[in-house]
Amino acid sequence: LGDMVEYAMPRVAVPTLCLFAEDDPVTPICSFSKYLHLASAYMAFAVTPKGGHCGWFCGLKGLSWINEVACEFCEAVRECR
Protein backbone atom coordinates (compact mmCIF):
# COMPACT_ATOMS: atom_id res chain seq x y z
CA LEU A 1 0.00 0.00 0.00
CA GLY A 2 2.76 2.45 0.90
CA ASP A 3 4.40 2.49 -2.54
CA MET A 4 1.04 2.99 -4.27
CA VAL A 5 0.04 5.80 -1.93
CA GLU A 6 3.42 7.53 -2.20
CA TYR A 7 3.20 7.39 -6.00
CA ALA A 8 -0.46 8.31 -6.43
CA MET A 9 -1.23 11.01 -3.86
CA PRO A 10 1.00 13.74 -5.27
CA ARG A 11 -0.37 13.04 -8.76
CA VAL A 12 -4.08 13.47 -7.99
CA ALA A 13 -5.20 16.20 -10.40
CA VAL A 14 -8.97 16.29 -9.86
CA PRO A 15 -10.88 17.34 -6.73
CA THR A 16 -11.00 14.31 -4.44
CA LEU A 17 -12.75 13.90 -1.11
CA CYS A 18 -11.24 11.26 1.19
CA LEU A 19 -13.37 10.22 4.15
CA PHE A 20 -12.08 8.21 7.07
CA ALA A 21 -13.73 6.83 10.19
CA GLU A 22 -11.67 6.46 13.34
CA ASP A 23 -13.44 3.16 14.06
CA ASP A 24 -12.68 1.62 10.63
CA PRO A 25 -11.49 -1.94 11.35
CA VAL A 26 -10.11 -2.47 7.81
CA THR A 27 -8.25 0.77 7.10
CA PRO A 28 -7.24 2.39 10.39
CA ILE A 29 -6.60 6.10 10.10
CA CYS A 30 -3.11 5.59 11.56
CA SER A 31 -2.16 3.50 8.53
CA PHE A 32 -2.93 6.40 6.21
CA SER A 33 -2.19 9.53 8.22
CA LYS A 34 1.56 9.15 7.75
CA TYR A 35 1.06 9.88 4.03
CA LEU A 36 -1.00 13.07 4.34
CA HIS A 37 2.02 15.28 3.67
CA LEU A 38 2.13 13.76 0.15
CA ALA A 39 -1.39 14.85 -0.78
CA SER A 40 -1.88 17.07 -3.78
CA ALA A 41 -3.72 20.37 -3.44
CA TYR A 42 -6.76 18.73 -5.04
CA MET A 43 -7.34 16.42 -2.09
CA ALA A 44 -9.61 17.14 0.86
CA PHE A 45 -9.73 14.94 3.95
CA ALA A 46 -12.37 14.43 6.62
CA VAL A 47 -12.24 12.15 9.64
CA THR A 48 -15.27 11.14 11.67
CA PRO A 49 -15.23 9.33 15.01
CA LYS A 50 -17.63 6.64 13.77
CA GLY A 51 -18.52 5.20 10.40
CA GLY A 52 -16.85 1.83 10.18
CA HIS A 53 -15.40 0.76 6.86
CA CYS A 54 -18.36 1.42 4.55
CA GLY A 55 -20.74 2.98 7.00
CA TRP A 56 -21.77 6.41 8.14
CA PHE A 57 -25.26 5.08 8.70
CA CYS A 58 -27.92 7.14 10.40
CA GLY A 59 -31.41 6.40 11.58
CA LEU A 60 -33.24 3.12 11.93
CA LYS A 61 -33.54 2.50 8.18
CA GLY A 62 -29.79 2.03 7.81
CA LEU A 63 -29.40 4.88 5.37
CA SER A 64 -25.98 6.44 4.94
CA TRP A 65 -25.33 10.17 4.87
CA ILE A 66 -22.28 9.64 2.64
CA ASN A 67 -24.24 10.28 -0.57
CA GLU A 68 -25.32 13.70 0.68
CA VAL A 69 -21.74 14.60 1.65
CA ALA A 70 -20.42 13.47 -1.75
CA CYS A 71 -23.06 15.50 -3.58
CA GLU A 72 -22.31 18.60 -1.50
CA PHE A 73 -18.60 18.20 -2.23
CA CYS A 74 -19.27 17.90 -5.98
CA GLU A 75 -21.55 20.95 -5.91
CA ALA A 76 -18.90 22.98 -4.09
CA VAL A 77 -16.28 21.95 -6.65
CA ARG A 78 -18.64 22.91 -9.48
CA GLU A 79 -19.30 26.33 -7.94
CA CYS A 80 -15.57 27.02 -7.60
CA ARG A 81 -14.86 26.48 -11.29
Side-chain angles (χ1 to χ4, degrees), residues 16-60:
T16 304
L17 176 61
C18 301
L19 296 171
F20 296 94
E22 290 177 348
D23 67 346
D24 186 335
V26 178
T27 311
I29 187 68
C30 63
S31 69
F32 194 80
S33 60
K34 61 185 172 188
Y35 300 107
L36 291 178
H37 69 283
L38 300 171
S40 81
Y42 291 96
M43 299 179 78
F45 297 88
V47 179
T48 61
K50 297 190 181 293
H53 186 63
C54 296
W56 295 286
F57 295 106
C58 60
L60 298 175

Side-chain angles (χ1 to χ4, degrees), residues 1-9 26-28 31-32 34-35:
L1 176 67
D3 291 343
M4 180 182 67
V5 171
E6 288 179 30
Y7 176 81
M9 284 184 66
V26 178
T27 311
S31 69
F32 194 80
K34 61 185 172 188
Y35 300 107

